[in-house]
């Protein structure tokens, strides 16, 4: 009897032991943490390490961490600060910029950094064959010339004045002349050391970095950085709580709630970001919409009524767990320089909305709204999958708009399919998306507001402005882009904000708050609203001492 | 006992339908002052993240999800059985071609077909239409996984003595398949059905990323199951476990019912 | 394999979003992205041209370049194959071990089998993402455990059903009446007679495991072929998807061949 039971018992024991072993095995094999490293996760692989060819956010972060630049925007004060350039001077007509380099600059491989390297790097960015996105910011890059009269001086000649030209140099990394190295020989705080696609990116400290702290200690303090490629929120938070990660950028409201419970000193809510969540209607003349629908969406009263019906405070409270601010304007109050404090906008009121709709020819029958021709007001709102807060907003909007008799269907699509409908076919009725504003200056938003731009979402690529108010927006945006006087620029931008509030081409809903997490064991972290929010002063962040928490 | 299980299952579904019909709250109504509340007098199973009554939504999801996934699972099993049996009773060449088609079906990324299906539907298609489309598509795409197992089973059984005896008695191929063979394939068909039901429930929710699935505000059983991957939600409400508890109960009842059928066969 | 590749090319090329780029929504990068897309659109051509170009390059051993990474597809997929193969092998072996060990004793019970099989019913109902979250929250387990449990849950149903049917056969009743122990019956009668079906199920569990590979690798961030395939789907990376389809077709074809080979065994 014992013999015949032996094998099944052995099998059972093996399977229990195996299950226990699998349960206790490490969750994932990650690279061991090097002492003195700062570690956090990015959500996808950088597409390139060539700083001149950066065209997405992950690569932009790598360029920020590795590339030495002439000037840098301090993400907290939002002021330009000299970096490799000790000083700079812009001529009164704005067509000549002169940079004076610091003495004794070196690349990470020990070679000297001179004006020849700076000139070469600038010319490389400006060259059409490089295909650099930054070149477009010079407006006419082929007419820009660079010369280096001596080893420490660089002169940039522009065909015409560019507003806020200094900020462009924040995005141009200086590389060794004729030796582009894709981030391996740099003048910034770190260099690219190792990269495994889908797993991690390792950066090493630049031993020849020019900067020192007030005590004369060479920066950066960290000996390196490890960026794990990880697109799983739960894993990222769990790793942070275990002490494997030092920073978490852009927390979701849910994750922020978890951190507030488990590690409140590590969670930071910086208030409203520069980003917006907005709803807009398709007003394009070429869209495949029935004429009556296009007429609704082009009707100002219709759009304003929709705006007045939406309970923005509920969106902020419910979809973002209170970590968002109701929005009525495309410029967030976090943008203190350009936000219009005196903006007049419609307050939330269902009765006002109903009155507006009646005045615009709509009428109610039971729970359904109809237009003057008897068409029931039903439309779809398109949004992208994978954003839980946005999907909650869409569902909340369904109930809000039902209060004025509009029937809304929500359609979530994956991003490529959504972009095809929005940008290529204009095959949609309404869209709910967010806009990431990475810069303070309104000139960065030209592509959104100029009626001829393909990113003029509600009616892209107009040959001529379809309405007088769009023409007025064009005029004001071009004025603010070309005027050197700050007060003229501010007045123009204020005017645009008021037009947008009156016409509601974009119905702004909320400004999501900036939610970040940083290990309390780090010293020197100063979260900012501008990206990279936690790593903007990376060279001044002290890594934790010892092992994990 | 078979009757008991079927009655229990029917009672569950009727209770769900009754909850849906006679609840004071609509499944879409958002009580925005009662977000993620625990069980109260107004909301017996609490509310979800948008303040909607969880009991009503779970009841609606159960009815829609069970009807859709069970129907889709039944259709996919029938297609797989038809395919496998056709291959088993055809010539070697035709069988090879049919199995080849099944293998190609498994290798091709059908996700893109689903994307095309969504792009063909009007944007204002109601949640019910997209739900029905989703389950139809799942039914049409789920068969290759088990068709080969059914083919193998049928090949093993077609030369059994009792099949030869039935042939000798003059039964036609169709009669032999339906009356003799299919009942013997139940050990393969029924587990596959029980596997397909929860798989389709979850697949429907995953297809929400492509614009298919059950659209808001209609409740989706799969979407409720997917809430289990949100640790923040798990910490705030224990009622998130209700949908999975019901799914396990439904599967247990189905399994007990089908194994009783086996015992008495 | 050619049919699988042709089907993939047709589906991916015709699917919405093939010529879309996330960067089009970013005003800063939109123009560069649109210029790239126009260039791509002109060079791609019709579906027939794409297919002919792909076949030509395969003949030379070149699987093309990934659209999203800009590196050779062969290197990209090759580097990940061992990770996925290891995960699959361990998951299938462990899953079958769990399933057999559970199914054998449960199948011989007259009553209560459904209740004892409750853990597997629960496993079938829990989405993969939820299992992964449970592992993460418990700080235990990982992709192999989740894959094993998924396979075990599925195979348990089949095994239990097969074994229950086998227990009810008349020659087994005869054996039990003559005093043979349960283990002897399993070893000498049940397993040999069920061997062809078990073999078919085992080879087909490769197909199940392949299906589960994608969500598991994505959720656990395992750098395998499944994660690459998902990324390729989201980015409409046609060359990678064609390569993955060819790989799938090979594995599925091999599994099919293994399950089809003739096998006869006489009962002891």
């Amino acid at each position: 009897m014992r013999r015949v039971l032996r094998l099944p018992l052995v099998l059972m024991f093996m399977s229990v032991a195996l299950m226990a072993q699998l349960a206790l095995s490490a969750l994932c094999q990650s690279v061991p943490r090097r002492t003195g490293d700062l570690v956090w996760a990015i959500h996808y692989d950088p597409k390139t390490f060539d700083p001149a060819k950066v065209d997405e956010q992950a690569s932009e972060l790598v360029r920020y961490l590795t590339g030495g630049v002439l000037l840098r925007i301090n993400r907290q004060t939002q002021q330009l600060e000299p970096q490799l350039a000790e000083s700079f001077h812009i001529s009164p007509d704005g067509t000549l910029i002169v940079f004076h380099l610091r003495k004794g600059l070196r690349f990470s491989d020990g070679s000297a950094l001179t004006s020849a390297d700076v000139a070469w790097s600038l010319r490389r960015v400006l060259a059409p064959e490089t295909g650099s996105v930054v070149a477009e910011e010079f407006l006419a890059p082929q007419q820009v010339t660079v010369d280096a009269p001596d080893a420490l001086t660089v002169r940039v000649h522009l065909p015409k004045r560019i507003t806020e030209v200094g900020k462009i140099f924040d995005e141009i990394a200086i590389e060794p002349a004729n030796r582009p190295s894709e981030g391996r020989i740099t003048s910034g705080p770190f260099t690219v050391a190792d990269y495994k696609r889908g797993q991690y990116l390792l950066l090493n400290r630049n031993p020849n970095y020019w900067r020192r702290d007030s005590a004369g200690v060479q920066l950066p303090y960290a000996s390196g950085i490890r960026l794990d490629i990880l697109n799983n929120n739960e894993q990222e938070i769990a790793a942070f709580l275990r002490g494997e990660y030092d920073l978490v950028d852009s927390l979701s409201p849910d994750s922020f709630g978890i951190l507030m419970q488990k590690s409140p000193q590590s969670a930071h809510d910086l208030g409203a970001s520069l980003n917006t969540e907005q709803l807009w209607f398709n007003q394009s003349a070429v869209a495949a919409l029935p004429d009556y629908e296009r007429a609704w969406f082009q009707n100002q009263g219709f759009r304003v009524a929709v705006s007045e019906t939406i309970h923005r405070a509920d969106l902020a409270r419910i979809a973002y767990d209170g970590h968002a601010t109701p929005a009525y304007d495309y410029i967030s109050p976090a943008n203190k320089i350009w936000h219009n404090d005196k903006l007049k906008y419609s307050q939330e009121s269902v009765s006002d909305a109903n009155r507006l709709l009646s005045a615009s020819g709509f009428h109610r029958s039971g729970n359904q709204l109809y237009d003057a021709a008897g068409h029931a007001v039903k439309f779809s709102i398109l949004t992208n999958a994978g954003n839980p807060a946005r999907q909650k907003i869409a569902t909340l909007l369904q109930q809000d708009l039902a209060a004025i008799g509009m029937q809304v269907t929500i359609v979530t699509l994956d991003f490529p399919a959504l972009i095809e409908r929005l940008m290529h076919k204009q095959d949609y009725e309404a869209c709910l998306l967010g806009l990431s504003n990475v810069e303070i200056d309104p000139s960065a938003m030209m592509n959104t507001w100029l009626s001829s731009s393909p990113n003029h979402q509600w009616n892209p690529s107009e040959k001529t402005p379809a309405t007088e108010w769009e023409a007025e927006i064009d005029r004001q945006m071009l004025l603010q882009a070309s005027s050197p006087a700050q007060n003229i620029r501010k007045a123009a931008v204020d005017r645009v904000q008021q037009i947008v509030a009156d016409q509601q081409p974009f119905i702004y809903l909320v400004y999501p708050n900036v939610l970040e997490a940083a290990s309390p064991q780090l010293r020197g972290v100063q979260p900012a609203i501008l990206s990279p929010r936690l790593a903007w002063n990376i060279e001044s962040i002290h890594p934790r001492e010892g092992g994990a928490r | 006992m078979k009757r008991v299980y079927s009655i229990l299952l029917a009672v569950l579904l009727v209770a769900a339908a009754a909850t849906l019909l006679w609840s004071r709250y609509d499944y879409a109504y958002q009580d925005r002052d009662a977000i993620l509340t625990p069980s109260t007098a107004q909301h017996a199973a609490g509310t979800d993240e948008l303040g909607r009554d969880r009991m009503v939504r779970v009841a609606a999801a159960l009815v829609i999800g069970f009807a859709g996934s069970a129907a889709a699972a039944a259709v996919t099993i029938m297609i797989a059985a038809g395919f496998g049996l056709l291959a088993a009773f055809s010539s070697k060449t035709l069988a090879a071609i049919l199995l080849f088609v099944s293998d190609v079906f498994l290798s091709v990324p059908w996700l893109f077909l689903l994307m095309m299906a969504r792009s063909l539907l009007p944007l204002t298609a109601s949640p019910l239409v997209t739900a029905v489309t989703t389950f139809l598509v799942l039914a049409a795409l789920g068969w290759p996984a088990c068709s080969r197992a059914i083919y193998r089973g049928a090949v093993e059984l077609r030369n059994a003595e009792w099949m030869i005896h039935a042939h000798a008695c003059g039964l036609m191929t169709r009669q032999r398949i339906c009356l003799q063979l299919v009942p013997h394939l139940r050990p393969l068909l029924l587990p596959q059905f029980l596997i397909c039901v929860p798989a389709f429930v979850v697949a429907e929710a995953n297809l929400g990323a492509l614009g298919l699935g059950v659209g808001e505000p209609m409740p989706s059983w799969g979407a409720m199951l997917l809430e289990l991957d949100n640790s923040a939600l798990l910490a705030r409400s224990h009622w998130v476990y209700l949908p999975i508890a019901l799914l396990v109960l439904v599967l247990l009842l189905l399994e007990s019912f089908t194994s009783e059928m086996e015992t008495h066969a | 394999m050619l049919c699988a590749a042709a089907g993939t090319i047709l589906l991916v090329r015709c699917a919405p979003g093939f010529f879309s780029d996330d960067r089009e929504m970013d005003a800063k990068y939109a123009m560069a992205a649109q210029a790239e897309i126009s260039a791509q659109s002109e060079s791609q051509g019709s579906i027939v041209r794409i297919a002919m170009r792909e076949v030509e390059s395969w003949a030379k051993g070149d699987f093309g370049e990934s659209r999203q990474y800009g590196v050779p597809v062969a290197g990209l997929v090759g580097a990940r194959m061992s990770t996925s193969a290891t995960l699959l092998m361990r998951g299938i072996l462990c899953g079958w071990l769990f399933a057999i060990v559970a199914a054998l004793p449960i199948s011989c019970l007259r009553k209560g089998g459904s209740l004892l099989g409750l853990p597997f019913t629960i496993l079938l109902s829990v989405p993969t993402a939820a299992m992964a979250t449970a592992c993460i929250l418990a700080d235990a387990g990982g992709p192999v455990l989740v894959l094993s449990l998924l396979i075990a849950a599925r195979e348990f149903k089949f095994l239990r059903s097969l074994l229950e049917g086998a227990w009810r056969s008349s020659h087994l009743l005869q054996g039990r009446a003559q005093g043979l122990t349960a283990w002897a019956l399993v070893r000498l009668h049940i397993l040999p007679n069920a061997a062809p079906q078990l073999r078919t199920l085992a080879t087909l569990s490769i197909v199940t495991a392949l299906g589960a590979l994608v969500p598991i690798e994505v959720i656990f961030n395992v750098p395998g072929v499944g994660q690459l395939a998902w990324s390729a789907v989201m980015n409409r990376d046609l060359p990678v998807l064609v390569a993955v389809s060819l790989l799938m077709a090979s594995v599925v074809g091999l599994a099919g061949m293994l399950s089809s080979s003739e096998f006869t065994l006489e009962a002891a």
Side-chain angles (χ1 to χ4, degrees):
Chain A
M1 191 63 182
R2 282 182 196 162
R3 267 168 132 189
V4 300
L5 282 176
R6 195 178 298 158
L7 189 53
L9 279 176
V10 165
L11 277 176
M12 281 181 64
F13 175 74
M14 271 176 63
S15 63
V16 169
L18 185 58
M19 201 174 312
Q21 195 258 329
L22 287 174
L24 292 169
S25 65
L27 199 57
C28 50
Q29 294 81 43
S30 56
V31 175
R33 187 190 179 112
R34 304 179 300 184
T35 310
D37 266 7
L38 292 169
V39 183
W40 71 94
I42 54 176
H43 297 155
Y44 55 90
D45 291 86
K47 289 210 163 100
T48 180
F49 296 125
D50 184 341
K53 294 185 180 174
V54 163
D55 61 2
E56 38 78 35
Q57 285 174 5
S59 302
E60 211 176 298
L61 175 66
V62 176
R63 180 179 65 192
Y64 188 95
L65 297 172
T66 58
V69 293
L70 293 170
L71 305 172
R72 180 128 275 165
I73 299 173
N74 181 310
R75 270 37 178 190
Q76 269 210 332
T77 63
Q78 296 166 13
Q79 300 300 319
L80 262 183
E81 290 176 351
Q83 296 282 300
L84 296 175
E86 195 171 40
S87 64
F88 71 104
H89 166 74
I90 304 177
S91 63
D93 65 353
T95 59
L96 174 65
I97 313 170
V98 181
F99 295 98
H100 297 286
L101 299 179
R102 296 174 193 274
K103 292 193 178 94
L105 292 172
R106 296 202 169 274
F107 287 104
S108 55
D109 65 349
S111 56
L113 191 161
T114 67
S115 59
D117 301 302
V118 176
W120 181 87
S121 302
L122 292 175
R123 288 188 199 116
R124 182 165 180 255
V125 163
L126 292 164
E129 55 271 19
T130 307
S132 175
V133 169
V134 176
E136 289 165 21
E137 299 189 47
F138 285 101
L139 304 180
Q142 57 277 29
Q143 293 175 30
V144 177
T145 57
V146 183
D147 63 69
D150 60 58
L152 293 178
T153 308
V154 178
R155 292 195 300 217
V156 180
H157 303 267
L158 306 171
K160 59 179 180 177
R161 175 191 301 278
I162 299 172
T163 312
E164 299 288 332
V165 66
K167 69 174 173 59
I168 303 176
F169 296 94
D170 180 289
E171 297 171 53
I172 302 177
I174 306 304
E175 300 182 270
N178 303 307
R179 289 189 293 143
S181 64
E182 299 217 340
R184 293 189 189 262
I185 304 172
T186 69
S187 49
F190 296 95
T191 64
V192 173
D194 190 17
Y195 169 56
K196 277 230 161 61
R197 190 181 310 284
Q199 294 183 63
Y200 61 82
L201 168 64
L202 285 177
L203 307 178
N204 282 345
R205 185 176 180 274
N206 175 0
N208 296 310
Y209 188 50
W210 62 272
R211 210 160 158 196
R212 290 175 184 273
D213 67 8
S214 53
V217 175
Q218 192 188 23
L219 299 178
Y221 295 122
S223 56
I225 292 176
R226 194 183 89 217
L227 299 174
D228 282 354
I229 320 286
L230 179 64
N231 193 10
N232 184 313
N233 209 28
E234 297 288 340
Q235 271 192 275
E236 194 178 359
I237 299 301
F240 179 79
L241 288 169
R242 282 195 300 268
E244 288 167 22
Y245 291 159
D246 297 307
L247 308 170
V248 180
D249 188 29
S250 298
L251 284 166
S252 67
D254 283 343
S255 304
F256 190 84
I258 295 174
L259 284 184
M260 282 303 286
Q261 280 175 17
K262 297 193 176 172
S263 177
Q265 65 273 37
S266 63
H268 303 273
D269 181 349
L270 303 182
S273 64
L274 299 177
N275 303 337
T276 54
E277 292 285 318
Q278 65 262 15
L279 171 73
W280 72 89
F281 293 99
N282 187 354
Q283 299 183 50
S284 170
V286 303
L289 293 173
D291 290 339
Y292 62 85
E293 274 194 23
R294 192 177 297 110
W296 302 342
F297 303 150
Q298 290 176 345
N299 184 311
Q300 181 194 6
F302 180 90
R303 297 192 302 270
V304 174
V306 166
S307 178
E308 287 177 346
T309 306
I310 295 170
H311 293 102
R312 290 167 173 77
D314 285 350
L315 304 186
R317 179 173 59 87
I318 297 170
Y320 286 88
D321 226 10
H323 298 293
T325 310
Y328 300 92
D329 181 17
Y330 75 92
I331 295 187
S332 163
N335 188 343
K336 295 182 174 33
I337 302 171
W338 297 101
H339 177 70
N340 184 353
D341 297 327
K342 299 186 179 63
L343 189 71
K344 295 188 190 60
Y345 52 85
S346 309
Q347 299 292 335
E348 283 158 23
S349 166
V350 173
S351 50
D352 285 349
N354 282 322
R355 265 195 294 277
L356 256 179
L357 287 169
S358 297
S360 302
F362 294 87
H363 65 275
R364 274 289 272 275
S365 175
N367 288 333
Q368 180 62 52
L369 185 73
Y370 295 88
D371 66 9
H375 299 110
V377 178
K378 297 181 187 181
F379 56 88
S380 59
I381 295 180
L382 204 61
T383 190
N384 65 303
N387 187 322
R390 200 170 286 155
Q391 286 171 309
K392 283 185 205 168
I393 289 179
T395 313
L396 291 165
L397 289 179
Q398 262 185 328
Q399 178 153 303
D400 284 347
L401 296 179
I404 52 170
M406 294 186 185
Q407 255 194 58
V408 168
T409 310
I410 299 166
V411 180
T412 49
L413 296 179
D414 74 319
F415 223 62
L418 179 92
I419 291 169
E420 188 178 89
R421 276 188 184 264
L422 281 187
M423 307 293 289
H424 301 177
K425 296 182 178 171
Q426 275 109 59
D427 180 15
Y428 71 100
E429 291 164 314
C431 185
L432 169 67
L433 274 184
L435 190 66
S436 284
N437 291 313
V438 296
E439 291 184 35
I440 301 280
D441 196 278
S443 294
M445 301 173 211
M446 290 289 282
N447 278 345
T448 305
W449 296 112
L450 287 180
S451 57
S452 55
S453 163
N455 287 87
H456 185 66
Q457 299 295 354
W458 72 89
N459 194 351
S461 305
E462 295 176 59
K463 291 194 175 55
T464 55
T467 58
E468 178 47 39
W469 57 268
E470 285 173 279
E472 177 66 10
I473 289 178
D474 282 356
R475 282 193 291 272
Q476 298 297 330
M477 286 305 289
L478 289 168
L479 174 62
Q480 71 80 31
S482 56
S483 172
Q486 180 67 8
N487 59 333
I488 295 175
R489 294 190 72 207
K490 181 71 166 77
V493 172
D494 282 353
R495 177 77 191 116
V496 172
Q497 289 176 73
Q498 191 59 61
I499 295 171
V500 170
D502 293 339
Q503 296 290 336
Q504 298 283 314
F506 285 131
I507 299 172
Y508 289 97
L509 303 173
V510 293
Y511 309 112
N513 284 6
V514 176
L515 303 175
E516 308 288 316
S519 166
Q521 292 186 7
L522 299 179
R523 285 186 290 135
V525 175
Q526 297 175 49
I529 285 170
L530 293 180
S531 198
R533 293 166 173 159
L534 293 170
W536 68 272
N537 63 333
I538 192 71
E539 62 266 26
S540 304
I541 297 178
H542 291 263
R544 66 179 72 190
E545 282 143 25
R549 268 180 270 192
Chain B
M1 280 309 284
K2 196 170 76 171
R3 190 175 285 181
V4 171
Y5 295 128
S6 58
I7 289 172
L8 280 172
L9 194 56
V11 162
L12 188 63
L13 292 169
V14 166
T19 307
L20 196 55
L21 289 169
W22 286 305
S23 167
R24 54 201 274 216
Y25 297 109
D26 182 61
Y27 62 68
Y29 175 69
Q30 299 160 11
D31 183 355
R32 296 185 181 181
D33 294 323
I35 303 295
L36 277 175
T37 55
S39 179
T40 59
Q42 283 88 25
H43 304 287
T47 55
D48 68 2
E49 292 179 292
L50 296 179
R52 299 174 295 195
D53 188 277
R54 208 183 269 283
M55 184 70 81
V56 175
R57 287 188 66 78
V58 170
L62 179 65
V63 170
I64 299 165
F66 181 75
S69 57
V75 168
T76 216
I77 298 300
M78 284 197 297
I79 298 174
F83 206 85
L85 289 168
L86 181 63
F89 283 86
S90 305
S91 63
K92 275 195 175 165
T93 312
L94 185 58
I97 291 171
L98 289 171
L99 292 174
F100 168 77
V101 167
S102 162
D103 287 347
V104 168
F105 224 86
L106 276 172
S107 316
V108 170
W110 290 109
L111 211 58
F112 295 101
L113 180 70
L114 300 176
M115 291 178 191
M116 285 194 272
R118 186 47 185 110
S119 69
L120 292 173
L121 281 176
L123 285 176
T124 46
S126 69
L128 191 61
V129 167
T130 52
V132 168
T133 309
T134 304
F135 285 118
L136 278 174
V137 168
L138 286 172
L141 298 179
W143 61 268
C146 61
S147 60
R148 198 179 261 275
I150 293 168
Y151 161 74
R152 283 305 309 162
V155 162
E156 292 291 324
L157 293 171
R158 74 182 171 192
N159 296 323
E161 283 178 14
W162 39 269
M163 281 290 285
I164 297 170
H165 181 71
H167 188 46
C169 289
L171 287 174
M172 296 189 296
T173 308
R174 188 168 46 84
Q175 288 172 311
R176 277 184 285 139
I177 291 173
C178 296
L179 299 173
Q180 306 282 344
L181 192 61
V182 169
H184 281 86
L185 285 176
R186 271 205 215 119
L188 276 175
L189 297 175
L190 291 174
Q192 188 62 38
F193 175 79
L194 293 172
I195 288 165
C196 281
V197 168
F200 285 171
V201 167
V202 176
E204 170 272 307
N206 285 327
L207 290 177
L210 304 178
L212 286 169
V214 177
E216 289 282 358
M218 200 176 265
S220 159
W221 207 359
M224 292 178 187
L225 292 177
L226 289 178
E227 285 180 345
L228 294 173
D229 73 358
N230 185 337
S231 58
L233 200 55
L234 294 177
R236 289 171 74 173
S237 171
H238 298 302
W239 287 103
V240 292
Y241 296 105
L242 180 59
I244 190 166
L246 283 174
L247 180 59
V248 170
L249 179 60
V250 165
L251 288 176
L252 259 181
L253 289 172
L254 275 176
E255 199 175 330
S256 306
F257 177 75
T258 52
S259 65
E260 284 288 320
M261 280 171 66
E262 281 292 295
T263 311
H264 293 296
Chain C
M1 279 168 58
L2 277 177
C3 290
T8 303
I9 292 170
L10 180 67
L11 285 173
V12 176
R13 179 61 185 81
C14 295
F18 185 70
F19 285 120
S20 300
D21 191 320
D22 289 5
R23 295 170 298 158
E24 289 181 77
M25 298 302 293
D26 188 335
K28 197 169 164 186
Y29 301 123
M31 291 199 35
Q34 279 154 13
E36 225 175 273
I37 290 165
S38 304
Q40 247 181 42
S41 168
E42 278 168 24
S43 67
Q44 287 272 341
S46 68
I47 296 171
V48 173
R49 264 186 69 189
I50 296 172
M52 283 175 56
R53 219 177 17 241
E54 292 288 323
V55 170
E56 242 182 80
S57 54
W58 298 338
K60 295 177 198 159
D62 174 18
F63 288 92
E65 221 173 64
S66 161
R67 252 178 125 201
Q68 50 177 329
Y69 296 120
V71 296
V73 171
L76 203 55
V77 173
R80 290 167 175 256
M81 270 173 61
S82 61
T83 308
S84 294
T86 311
L87 175 57
L88 276 174
M89 211 167 57
R90 290 173 71 190
I92 291 171
L93 285 173
C94 297
W96 267 86
L97 181 61
F98 298 153
I100 289 175
V101 164
L104 275 174
I106 291 176
S107 59
C108 66
L109 295 173
R110 288 194 189 183
K111 285 185 184 182
S114 296
L115 273 175
L116 285 172
L118 182 63
F120 294 97
T121 306
I122 294 173
L123 284 172
L124 276 180
S125 314
V126 176
T128 313
M131 271 197 240
T133 299
C135 289
I136 292 166
L137 290 177
D139 202 11
V144 177
L145 180 65
V146 171
L147 184 59
S148 313
L149 292 176
L150 278 174
I151 291 175
R154 188 181 180 278
E155 301 307 330
F156 170 81
K157 296 287 177 199
F158 286 110
L159 285 173
R160 190 183 141 216
S161 191
L162 273 174
L163 295 173
E164 273 179 352
W167 279 111
R168 283 194 289 273
S169 8
S170 48
H171 68 281
L172 247 74
L173 290 171
Q174 169 80 5
R176 285 165 87 170
Q178 288 189 344
L180 282 175
T181 62
W183 176 243
L185 288 169
V186 166
R187 191 167 49 91
L188 299 171
H189 293 280
I190 293 180
L191 286 180
N193 285 331
Q197 287 156 315
L198 289 178
R199 223 184 53 248
T200 305
L201 284 175
T203 50
L204 291 179
S205 64
I206 297 172
V207 176
T208 310
L210 278 174
L213 194 67
V214 171
I216 285 173
E217 284 190 356
V218 169
I219 292 165
F220 284 103
N221 207 43
V222 175
V225 176
Q227 188 196 54
L228 180 67
W230 184 248
S231 168
V233 166
M234 290 295 110
N235 290 284
R236 311 297 196 265
D237 192 342
L238 181 59
V240 170
L241 285 168
V242 169
V244 170
S245 297
L246 289 175
L247 200 58
M248 271 286 282
S250 315
V251 174
V252 167
L254 184 65
M257 269 169 48
L258 286 173
S259 72
S260 294
S261 55
E262 292 304 317
F263 188 112
T264 50
L265 197 75
E266 295 181 38

